[in-house]
Amino acid sequence: MSFWADDYSGNDITNPKRDFRFKIEFENMGTLTTYGTNGLWYAKTSDKPSFSLGEATHAFLNHTFKFPGRVTWNDVTITMVDPGPGSNAKNSGLAIALAQMLKDSGYIVPAGPNSNYQTISKSKAVSAIGAVRITQLAPDGTELEAWVLNNAFLTDAKFGTLSYESENLTEYSLTLKYDWAEYEEVPYQESSS
């Protein structure tokens, strides 16, 4: 008797979710839309959303009673490789898209003592990215589940490490904060092909 199913020739087969079948979509990825999609095919790893539930306690005589508190959604970190400039020489890949996100969030490089006094705002930071969707896929590529990060904004970007001793692809790491995540379960129907 096998672990997931007794007979793999039928239609009622348990097919566990696999970590390597996923895609990430940023609604407003800026210049990267020149690659034909807002889906980040070059994503390497991604956290799925997680939350922590706070607690309040009340002491009474020899007893401590606990009550559920607020839900806090934890940061999501995404690692991806830089796809490079592609066919558009003006587009230098992921670095320019991330720099544009920061600018669209309201960050202005100081140009002197009397430069623009604009600062980053949440509304601009959220608009710079747009909706973020992390989707797990079935073996045939159909969606199994999706997480949508609401009001997500970029809080940390690392542009990789260079080394003469490495032949690895350049990896970028992004950290996103968000107000809450919504789980979307998609009914799985394996394609007949």
Side-chain angles (χ1 to χ4, degrees), residues 10 26 34 36 40 53 72 77 83 96 98 106 129 142-143 155 188 193:
F26 282 43
T34 59
L40 300 181
L53 185 61
T72 301
T77 300
I96 190 110
L98 294 174
I129 293 178
T142 58
E143 295 183 354
T155 60
Y188 175 62
S193 58

Side-chain angles (χ1 to χ4, degrees), residues 2-189:
S2 56
F3 184 67
W4 296 108
D6 290 334
D7 179 11
Y8 281 94
S9 63
N11 290 331
D12 190 26
I13 297 174
T14 301
N15 205 342
K17 293 177 183 175
R18 304 287 298 272
D19 286 348
F20 67 92
R21 294 185 190 129
F22 72 98
K23 65 179 179 176
I24 299 174
E25 298 166 284
F26 282 43
E27 183 180 28
N28 300 331
M29 199 55 172
T31 57
L32 289 181
T33 57
T34 59
Y35 289 95
T37 179
N38 61 355
L40 300 181
W41 55 267
Y42 36 85
K44 185 174 179 181
T45 65
S46 176
D47 294 335
K48 289 171 74 171
S50 63
F51 64 86
S52 300
L53 185 61
E55 69 174 47
T57 58
H58 176 70
F60 176 70
L61 298 175
N62 289 332
H63 306 287
T64 301
F65 298 94
K66 297 177 184 173
F67 299 90
R70 294 185 182 108
V71 171
T72 301
W73 288 90
N74 302 314
D75 297 351
V76 165
T77 300
I78 299 169
T79 303
M80 54 188 83
V81 296
D82 192 334
S87 60
N88 182 353
K90 289 180 154 182
N91 181 348
S92 63
L94 190 55
I96 190 110
L98 294 174
Q100 187 63 46
M101 266 189 203
L102 186 60
K103 185 176 179 182
D104 291 347
S105 295
Y107 178 75
I108 304 292
V109 175
N114 296 322
S115 62
N116 191 329
Y117 295 110
Q118 175 178 319
T119 60
I120 295 174
S121 71
K122 183 169 180 176
S123 63
K124 288 180 183 175
V126 168
S127 314
I129 293 178
V132 178
R133 194 165 187 262
I134 301 169
T135 309
Q136 271 194 278
L137 304 171
D140 64 359
T142 58
E143 295 183 354
L144 287 175
E145 72 173 47
W147 286 95
V148 177
L149 309 183
N150 292 288
N151 299 329
F153 57 95
L154 185 64
T155 60
D156 192 52
K158 295 180 179 146
F159 292 91
T161 302
L162 303 176
S163 170
Y164 287 118
E165 297 178 4
S166 172
E167 294 180 10
N168 294 334
L169 301 175
T170 301
E171 292 183 0
Y172 291 12
S173 176
L174 310 178
T175 301
L176 301 173
K177 290 194 182 291
Y178 53 99
D179 291 336
W180 76 93
E182 290 182 72
Y183 176 78
E184 298 176 359
E185 186 171 11
V186 182
Y188 175 62
Q189 297 177 350

